[in-house]
Structures are given as C-alpha cells and as structure tokens.
Amino acid sequence: MSAQKLIGMSLAELAEAYASRSLSPVEVVNDIIAHAEAVNGSINALFCFRPEQAIAGARQSEARWKAKAALGRLTGFR
C-alpha cells in the first residue's frame, strides 16, 4: 500500500485492517520505511533512522494481533 493511502487512514481503519488481516503491521512498517528511504535524501528529516527496530516491533505487534493478545486499549482490542 502506498504511504499516501496509509497516511489517509484513521487509526480505527488501520486497526480494522489489522483485525481483518487485510493489512499487517509488518507490511505497513515496510511501506513506511520504503517511503522514508525514498524521500529522506531530499528532505533530510530523519537523523536517527532505525528500520531494523521498527521491523522488530512490527513483528511483535503482528504476533499479538494474530493471537488477539492486547497490550492495552490502543492495540485495537476491547
């Protein structure tokens, strides 16, 4: 999915996409990392870019979504 489409999504839409498995946290992070890498050369906005950490966190989040194991209200589970 493009970064523009992701930016246009609300948190509720993103949580719904994760719950229905039409999107995964890993897919979203990979798309955002690709966008950041594509534009940062011209805008120079990222000074501490750690994509490995972001991907590791996304993998943990994806595992929680698959297991329906909430960490709190912001994980999208009630």
Side-chain angles (χ1 to χ4, degrees):
M1 179 173 284
S2 75
Q4 293 302 325
K5 287 184 181 180
L6 289 171
I7 290 167
M9 293 178 77
S10 69
L11 290 177
E13 291 169 328
L14 194 56
E16 185 177 314
Y18 288 167
S20 70
R21 295 193 182 173
S22 61
L23 274 179
S24 78
V26 174
E27 291 172 317
V28 170
V29 166
N30 283 332
D31 291 344
I32 295 301
I33 288 170
H35 178 72
E37 288 173 337
V39 302
N40 195 53
S42 54
I43 63 173
N44 198 28
L46 302 174
F47 65 92
C48 186
F49 187 54
R50 295 184 179 149
E52 312 83 27
Q53 286 182 325
I55 292 169
R59 286 186 180 130
Q60 291 172 350
S61 176
E62 186 171 277
R64 288 190 302 269
W65 276 97
K66 287 180 178 179
K68 297 185 179 181
L71 287 180
R73 294 190 68 131
L74 292 177
T75 61
F77 297 105
R78 295 187 179 137

